[in-house]
Amino acid sequence: MTNAIVRPVREALLRAAGSRDLRRRTPAGVRYDATAPGTDTIYYLSPDESSPSGGIRVIYRHVDLLNAAGLKAAVLHEKPGFRVGWFANDTRVLAARDVTLGRSDLLVVPEFYGPGLAALPPAVRKVIFNQNAYQTFSRVPFGATGPGAPYAAVAGLQALLTVSEDNAALLRHAFPALPTHIARVVVDERVFHPGSAPAGRRIGYMPRRRAEEQEQLLHILRARGVLDGWELTPIDGLGEAQTAEALRGCAVFLSFSEREGFGLPPAEAMASGAYVVGFTGLAGRDFFDPAFCTPVAEADLLAFAVAVEQILGRDPATLAAAGQAASKEILSRYHEEGLRADLLAFYATLR
Protein backbone atom coordinates (compact mmCIF):
# COMPACT_ATOMS: atom_id res chain seq x y z
CA MET A 1 0.00 0.00 0.00
CA THR A 2 2.84 2.35 0.88
CA ASN A 3 4.54 1.80 -2.49
CA ALA A 4 1.24 2.42 -4.27
CA ILE A 5 1.12 5.85 -2.64
CA VAL A 6 4.81 6.75 -2.77
CA ARG A 7 5.42 5.84 -6.42
CA PRO A 8 2.86 8.26 -7.94
CA VAL A 9 4.08 11.05 -5.65
CA ARG A 10 7.69 10.42 -6.65
CA GLU A 11 6.77 10.34 -10.34
CA ALA A 12 4.82 13.60 -9.99
CA LEU A 13 7.80 15.27 -8.32
CA LEU A 14 10.12 14.07 -11.08
CA ARG A 15 7.75 15.41 -13.74
CA ALA A 16 7.59 18.76 -11.94
CA ALA A 17 11.37 18.92 -11.69
CA GLY A 18 11.65 18.10 -15.39
CA SER A 19 9.20 20.84 -16.27
CA ARG A 20 11.17 23.37 -14.23
CA ASP A 21 14.38 22.34 -15.95
CA LEU A 22 12.79 22.70 -19.38
CA ARG A 23 11.58 26.19 -18.47
CA ARG A 24 15.12 27.11 -17.45
CA ARG A 25 16.35 25.80 -20.79
CA THR A 26 14.02 28.07 -22.77
CA PRO A 27 16.00 31.16 -23.78
CA ALA A 28 14.96 34.69 -22.95
CA GLY A 29 12.62 36.31 -25.43
CA VAL A 30 14.65 37.81 -28.26
CA ARG A 31 13.16 40.26 -30.75
CA TYR A 32 14.18 40.42 -34.39
CA ASP A 33 13.26 42.96 -37.07
CA ALA A 34 13.93 41.72 -40.60
CA THR A 35 13.60 45.29 -41.93
CA ALA A 36 16.35 46.61 -39.63
CA PRO A 37 19.92 46.52 -40.95
CA GLY A 38 21.30 45.74 -37.50
CA THR A 39 24.38 47.09 -35.76
CA ASP A 40 26.93 44.32 -36.50
CA THR A 41 26.73 43.24 -32.86
CA ILE A 42 27.49 39.78 -31.51
CA TYR A 43 25.00 39.03 -28.73
CA TYR A 44 25.74 36.19 -26.29
CA LEU A 45 22.68 34.79 -24.55
CA SER A 46 23.42 33.80 -20.97
CA PRO A 47 21.40 32.25 -18.13
CA ASP A 48 20.73 34.48 -15.13
CA GLU A 49 22.87 32.36 -12.82
CA SER A 50 24.40 34.13 -9.83
CA SER A 51 26.41 31.21 -8.40
CA PRO A 52 29.91 30.52 -9.80
CA SER A 53 29.74 29.00 -13.28
CA GLY A 54 32.76 28.50 -15.50
CA GLY A 55 30.59 28.56 -18.62
CA ILE A 56 29.17 31.99 -17.88
CA ARG A 57 32.66 33.25 -17.00
CA VAL A 58 33.74 32.18 -20.49
CA ILE A 59 30.80 34.03 -22.09
CA TYR A 60 31.74 37.26 -20.30
CA ARG A 61 35.38 36.85 -21.34
CA HIS A 62 34.41 36.41 -25.00
CA VAL A 63 32.38 39.62 -24.93
CA ASP A 64 35.20 41.54 -23.23
CA LEU A 65 37.81 40.37 -25.74
CA LEU A 66 35.60 41.05 -28.76
CA ASN A 67 34.87 44.59 -27.61
CA ALA A 68 38.54 45.21 -26.86
CA ALA A 69 39.39 43.99 -30.38
CA GLY A 70 37.02 46.53 -31.95
CA LEU A 71 34.03 44.26 -32.57
CA LYS A 72 30.71 45.07 -30.94
CA ALA A 73 29.48 42.46 -28.48
CA ALA A 74 27.22 42.17 -25.44
CA VAL A 75 25.87 39.62 -22.98
CA LEU A 76 22.09 39.24 -23.01
CA HIS A 77 20.45 38.34 -19.72
CA GLU A 78 16.73 37.88 -19.24
CA LYS A 79 16.35 39.90 -16.04
CA PRO A 80 16.89 43.67 -16.42
CA GLY A 81 19.84 44.81 -14.36
CA PHE A 82 21.22 41.32 -13.83
CA ARG A 83 25.00 40.95 -13.85
CA VAL A 84 27.21 38.14 -12.59
CA GLY A 85 28.99 39.30 -9.45
CA TRP A 86 31.24 36.46 -8.31
CA PHE A 87 34.17 37.79 -10.37
CA ALA A 88 35.11 41.40 -11.06
CA ASN A 89 33.83 42.63 -14.42
CA ASP A 90 32.64 45.65 -16.36
CA THR A 91 31.40 43.54 -19.27
CA ARG A 92 28.77 45.06 -21.55
CA VAL A 93 25.52 43.50 -20.33
CA LEU A 94 22.02 44.15 -21.66
CA ALA A 95 18.52 42.88 -20.93
CA ALA A 96 17.20 40.79 -23.81
CA ARG A 97 13.87 42.60 -23.78
CA ASP A 98 15.63 45.93 -24.43
CA VAL A 99 17.30 44.72 -27.65
CA THR A 100 15.98 44.18 -31.17
CA LEU A 101 18.34 42.33 -33.49
CA GLY A 102 18.67 43.16 -37.14
CA ARG A 103 20.04 41.50 -40.26
CA SER A 104 23.73 42.11 -39.53
CA ASP A 105 23.57 40.98 -35.90
CA LEU A 106 24.53 37.55 -34.63
CA LEU A 107 23.05 35.64 -31.70
CA VAL A 108 25.35 33.23 -29.84
CA VAL A 109 23.35 30.62 -27.93
CA PRO A 110 24.73 28.29 -25.21
CA GLU A 111 24.14 24.55 -25.64
CA PHE A 112 22.17 24.72 -22.37
CA TYR A 113 19.24 26.08 -24.38
CA GLY A 114 19.19 23.11 -26.78
CA PRO A 115 15.64 21.99 -25.89
CA GLY A 116 14.30 25.54 -26.32
CA LEU A 117 15.93 26.61 -29.57
CA ALA A 118 12.56 26.71 -31.35
CA ALA A 119 11.63 29.72 -29.19
CA LEU A 120 14.21 31.90 -30.96
CA PRO A 121 13.27 34.01 -34.00
CA PRO A 122 13.88 31.82 -37.07
CA ALA A 123 15.41 34.54 -39.22
CA VAL A 124 18.10 35.69 -36.81
CA ARG A 125 21.61 34.46 -37.60
CA LYS A 126 22.76 32.09 -34.88
CA VAL A 127 25.84 30.32 -33.53
CA ILE A 128 25.59 27.56 -30.93
CA PHE A 129 28.33 28.03 -28.35
CA ASN A 130 28.59 24.45 -27.13
CA GLN A 131 30.80 24.38 -24.03
CA ASN A 132 29.98 20.76 -23.28
CA ALA A 133 29.29 18.47 -26.21
CA TYR A 134 28.34 15.69 -23.80
CA GLN A 135 25.31 17.74 -22.75
CA THR A 136 24.14 18.42 -26.31
CA PHE A 137 21.22 16.00 -26.13
CA SER A 138 20.15 16.73 -22.57
CA ARG A 139 16.34 17.07 -22.46
CA VAL A 140 16.19 16.31 -26.21
CA PRO A 141 14.30 12.98 -26.28
CA PHE A 142 15.25 10.62 -29.10
CA GLY A 143 11.71 9.37 -29.64
CA ALA A 144 10.16 12.83 -29.93
CA THR A 145 12.71 14.43 -32.26
CA GLY A 146 14.09 13.87 -35.74
CA PRO A 147 17.55 13.18 -37.19
CA GLY A 148 20.09 15.86 -36.37
CA ALA A 149 18.24 17.17 -33.31
CA PRO A 150 18.61 19.55 -31.63
CA TYR A 151 20.36 21.54 -34.38
CA ALA A 152 19.12 20.27 -37.75
CA ALA A 153 15.82 22.16 -37.66
CA VAL A 154 17.26 25.44 -36.34
CA ALA A 155 16.79 28.11 -39.00
CA GLY A 156 19.63 30.57 -39.39
CA LEU A 157 22.22 28.38 -37.68
CA GLN A 158 25.62 29.33 -39.10
CA ALA A 159 28.12 27.25 -37.10
CA LEU A 160 29.05 25.57 -33.85
CA LEU A 161 31.70 26.95 -31.52
CA THR A 162 33.25 24.82 -28.78
CA VAL A 163 36.13 24.84 -26.31
CA SER A 164 38.26 21.71 -26.75
CA GLU A 165 39.62 19.38 -29.38
CA ASP A 166 37.77 16.52 -27.68
CA ASN A 167 34.39 18.24 -27.91
CA ALA A 168 35.03 19.45 -31.46
CA ALA A 169 35.68 15.87 -32.59
CA LEU A 170 32.38 14.70 -31.09
CA LEU A 171 30.37 17.57 -32.58
CA ARG A 172 31.91 17.14 -36.03
CA HIS A 173 31.04 13.45 -35.94
CA ALA A 174 27.45 14.09 -34.78
CA PHE A 175 26.76 17.10 -37.04
CA PRO A 176 29.05 16.78 -40.08
CA ALA A 177 27.13 19.39 -42.09
CA LEU A 178 27.76 22.15 -39.54
CA PRO A 179 31.10 23.98 -39.43
CA THR A 180 32.64 23.47 -35.98
CA HIS A 181 35.32 25.79 -34.60
CA ILE A 182 37.30 25.96 -31.36
CA ALA A 183 37.77 28.97 -29.12
CA ARG A 184 40.19 27.89 -26.44
CA VAL A 185 39.52 28.24 -22.74
CA VAL A 186 41.59 30.79 -20.82
CA VAL A 187 43.31 30.02 -17.56
CA ASP A 188 44.10 33.52 -16.33
CA GLU A 189 47.74 33.68 -15.24
CA ARG A 190 46.99 36.83 -13.25
CA VAL A 191 44.76 34.70 -11.02
CA PHE A 192 45.95 31.11 -11.34
CA HIS A 193 49.69 30.76 -10.84
CA PRO A 194 52.06 28.99 -8.43
CA GLY A 195 52.59 30.53 -5.02
CA SER A 196 55.82 32.10 -3.81
CA ALA A 197 56.07 29.55 -0.98
CA PRO A 198 55.91 25.75 -1.17
CA ALA A 199 52.41 24.29 -0.90
CA GLY A 200 51.55 22.48 2.31
CA ARG A 201 50.66 18.83 2.70
CA ARG A 202 47.16 19.51 1.50
CA ILE A 203 45.00 17.64 -1.00
CA GLY A 204 42.46 19.73 -2.89
CA TYR A 205 39.29 18.56 -4.60
CA MET A 206 35.88 19.85 -5.72
CA PRO A 207 33.36 18.09 -3.44
CA ARG A 208 30.32 18.33 -5.73
CA ARG A 209 31.87 16.38 -8.58
CA ARG A 210 31.23 12.63 -8.59
CA ALA A 211 30.48 12.80 -4.87
CA GLU A 212 29.80 9.08 -4.45
CA GLU A 213 33.10 8.11 -6.05
CA GLN A 214 34.87 10.71 -3.93
CA GLU A 215 33.50 9.13 -0.78
CA GLN A 216 34.62 5.69 -1.91
CA LEU A 217 38.11 6.91 -2.81
CA LEU A 218 38.59 8.77 0.47
CA HIS A 219 37.39 5.75 2.45
CA ILE A 220 39.97 3.55 0.70
CA LEU A 221 42.78 6.04 1.21
CA ARG A 222 41.95 6.54 4.88
CA ALA A 223 41.65 2.80 5.50
CA ARG A 224 45.14 2.28 4.13
CA GLY A 225 46.62 5.14 6.16
CA VAL A 226 47.46 7.07 3.01
CA LEU A 227 45.93 10.31 4.29
CA ASP A 228 47.95 10.35 7.53
CA GLY A 229 49.80 13.64 7.72
CA TRP A 230 47.77 15.19 4.92
CA GLU A 231 44.96 17.75 5.15
CA LEU A 232 41.92 17.38 2.90
CA THR A 233 40.87 20.70 1.37
CA PRO A 234 37.40 20.76 -0.25
CA ILE A 235 37.11 23.75 -2.60
CA ASP A 236 33.52 24.79 -3.23
CA GLY A 237 31.39 27.92 -3.59
CA LEU A 238 34.39 30.26 -3.75
CA GLY A 239 35.01 33.18 -6.05
CA GLU A 240 37.73 33.02 -8.67
CA ALA A 241 40.48 34.63 -6.57
CA GLN A 242 39.62 32.56 -3.49
CA THR A 243 39.67 29.36 -5.53
CA ALA A 244 43.10 30.23 -6.90
CA GLU A 245 44.42 30.94 -3.42
CA ALA A 246 43.11 27.60 -2.15
CA LEU A 247 44.67 25.73 -5.08
CA ARG A 248 48.06 27.35 -4.50
CA GLY A 249 48.01 25.93 -1.00
CA CYS A 250 47.55 22.34 -2.23
CA ALA A 251 50.44 20.10 -3.20
CA VAL A 252 48.05 17.61 -4.83
CA PHE A 253 44.67 17.99 -6.53
CA LEU A 254 42.24 15.13 -7.10
CA SER A 255 40.38 15.46 -10.39
CA PHE A 256 36.83 14.10 -10.49
CA SER A 257 36.00 15.52 -13.91
CA GLU A 258 33.15 13.77 -15.74
CA ARG A 259 32.12 14.17 -19.40
CA GLU A 260 33.48 17.71 -19.57
CA GLY A 261 33.54 20.40 -22.19
CA PHE A 262 37.08 21.19 -21.14
CA GLY A 263 37.57 20.60 -17.41
CA LEU A 264 38.65 23.86 -15.83
CA PRO A 265 39.26 22.69 -12.24
CA PRO A 266 42.23 20.40 -13.02
CA ALA A 267 43.61 22.93 -15.51
CA GLU A 268 43.40 25.71 -12.93
CA ALA A 269 44.97 23.41 -10.34
CA MET A 270 47.87 22.69 -12.70
CA ALA A 271 48.28 26.40 -13.41
CA SER A 272 48.44 26.99 -9.66
CA GLY A 273 51.31 24.50 -9.29
CA ALA A 274 49.43 21.52 -7.84
CA TYR A 275 50.16 17.97 -8.93
CA VAL A 276 46.96 16.66 -10.50
CA VAL A 277 45.82 13.05 -10.39
CA GLY A 278 42.48 11.60 -11.45
CA PHE A 279 39.83 11.47 -14.12
CA THR A 280 40.24 13.53 -17.28
CA GLY A 281 36.50 13.89 -17.88
CA LEU A 282 37.39 12.94 -21.50
CA ALA A 283 37.96 16.54 -22.63
CA GLY A 284 40.85 16.78 -20.19
CA ARG A 285 42.75 14.45 -22.49
CA ASP A 286 43.63 17.66 -24.32
CA PHE A 287 46.01 18.65 -21.50
CA PHE A 288 46.49 15.72 -19.07
CA ASP A 289 50.10 14.98 -19.96
CA PRO A 290 51.64 12.09 -17.97
CA ALA A 291 54.91 14.02 -17.99
CA PHE A 292 53.54 16.27 -15.23
CA CYS A 293 50.30 14.69 -13.93
CA THR A 294 48.65 11.29 -13.56
CA PRO A 295 45.52 10.65 -15.64
CA VAL A 296 43.35 7.76 -14.44
CA ALA A 297 41.12 5.67 -16.70
CA GLU A 298 37.48 6.71 -16.55
CA ALA A 299 35.69 5.34 -13.45
CA ASP A 300 38.62 3.10 -12.46
CA LEU A 301 38.43 3.57 -8.69
CA LEU A 302 41.19 1.07 -7.92
CA ALA A 303 43.61 2.73 -10.34
CA PHE A 304 42.74 6.10 -8.79
CA ALA A 305 43.44 4.86 -5.25
CA VAL A 306 46.72 3.21 -6.25
CA ALA A 307 47.86 6.33 -8.11
CA VAL A 308 47.11 8.64 -5.18
CA GLU A 309 48.95 6.33 -2.79
CA GLN A 310 52.01 6.31 -5.02
CA ILE A 311 51.95 10.07 -5.52
CA LEU A 312 51.60 10.94 -1.84
CA GLY A 313 54.65 8.80 -1.17
CA ARG A 314 56.85 10.78 -3.54
CA ASP A 315 59.45 13.32 -2.54
CA PRO A 316 57.72 16.73 -2.11
CA ALA A 317 60.33 18.43 -4.29
CA THR A 318 59.56 16.02 -7.14
CA LEU A 319 55.84 16.79 -6.90
CA ALA A 320 56.52 20.52 -6.80
CA ALA A 321 58.75 20.35 -9.88
CA ALA A 322 56.05 18.50 -11.81
CA GLY A 323 53.49 21.07 -10.66
CA GLN A 324 55.70 23.87 -11.94
CA ALA A 325 56.07 22.12 -15.31
CA ALA A 326 52.29 21.67 -15.52
CA SER A 327 51.74 25.34 -14.73
CA LYS A 328 54.13 26.43 -17.44
CA GLU A 329 52.41 24.21 -20.02
CA ILE A 330 48.85 25.23 -19.15
CA LEU A 331 49.60 28.95 -19.05
CA SER A 332 51.50 28.79 -22.34
CA ARG A 333 48.52 27.20 -24.15
CA TYR A 334 45.38 28.63 -22.59
CA HIS A 335 45.85 32.39 -22.60
CA GLU A 336 43.89 35.46 -23.65
CA GLU A 337 45.99 36.25 -26.71
CA GLY A 338 45.28 32.80 -28.08
CA LEU A 339 41.56 33.10 -27.39
CA ARG A 340 41.45 36.54 -28.99
CA ALA A 341 43.03 35.09 -32.14
CA ASP A 342 40.57 32.17 -32.11
CA LEU A 343 37.57 34.48 -31.80
CA LEU A 344 38.67 36.93 -34.48
CA ALA A 345 39.40 34.11 -36.91
CA PHE A 346 36.04 32.49 -36.21
CA TYR A 347 33.86 35.59 -36.50
CA ALA A 348 35.72 36.67 -39.64
CA THR A 349 34.18 33.62 -41.33
CA LEU A 350 30.66 34.90 -40.51
CA ARG A 351 30.98 38.47 -41.74
Side-chain angles (χ1 to χ4, degrees), residues 165-236:
E165 295 286 351
D166 174 89
N167 274 214
L170 179 56
L171 291 170
R172 287 169 181 150
H173 186 77
F175 307 103
L178 283 171
T180 299
H181 300 258
I182 300 171
R184 77 191 71 187
V185 166
V186 169
V187 180
D188 191 344
E189 65 180 348
R190 295 164 297 190
V191 180
F192 297 96
H193 54 80
S196 56
R201 289 175 64 84
R202 284 182 286 273
I203 303 169
Y205 62 99
M206 303 289 186
R208 286 185 294 172
R209 292 173 179 265
R210 304 176 82 146
E212 185 176 348
E213 288 165 285
Q214 284 190 27
E215 283 280 295
Q216 294 174 4
L217 177 69
L218 295 178
H219 269 293
I220 293 168
L221 296 176
R222 185 175 62 181
R224 291 180 58 82
V226 175
L227 300 178
D228 294 350
W230 288 85
E231 177 187 341
L232 292 174
T233 304
I235 302 171
D236 187 37

Side-chain angles (χ1 to χ4, degrees), residues 12 22 51 103 111 137-138 169 174 234 242 248 271 278-279 293 309 315:
L22 283 173
S51 59
R103 294 190 303 274
E111 88 290 337
F137 305 103
S138 181
Q242 294 170 305
R248 277 192 289 276
F279 303 137
C293 68
E309 185 166 342
D315 175 57

Side-chain angles (χ1 to χ4, degrees), residues 230-314:
W230 288 85
E231 177 187 341
L232 292 174
T233 304
I235 302 171
D236 187 37
L238 302 179
E240 197 172 43
Q242 294 170 305
T243 296
E245 184 178 358
L247 289 170
R248 277 192 289 276
C250 295
V252 174
F253 180 83
L254 307 180
S255 175
F256 290 94
S257 297
E258 183 176 23
R259 300 194 325 138
E260 302 286 348
F262 176 75
L264 262 176
E268 291 171 344
M270 290 181 192
S272 301
Y275 188 93
V276 173
V277 53
F279 303 137
T280 68
L282 302 178
R285 292 176 294 190
D286 281 16
F287 59 87
F288 264 71
D289 187 335
F292 48 68
C293 68
T294 300
V296 174
E298 177 64 19
D300 191 336
L301 183 63
L302 174 59
F304 203 158
V306 170
V308 174
E309 185 166 342
Q310 292 174 344
I311 288 158
L312 297 188
R314 291 182 189 174

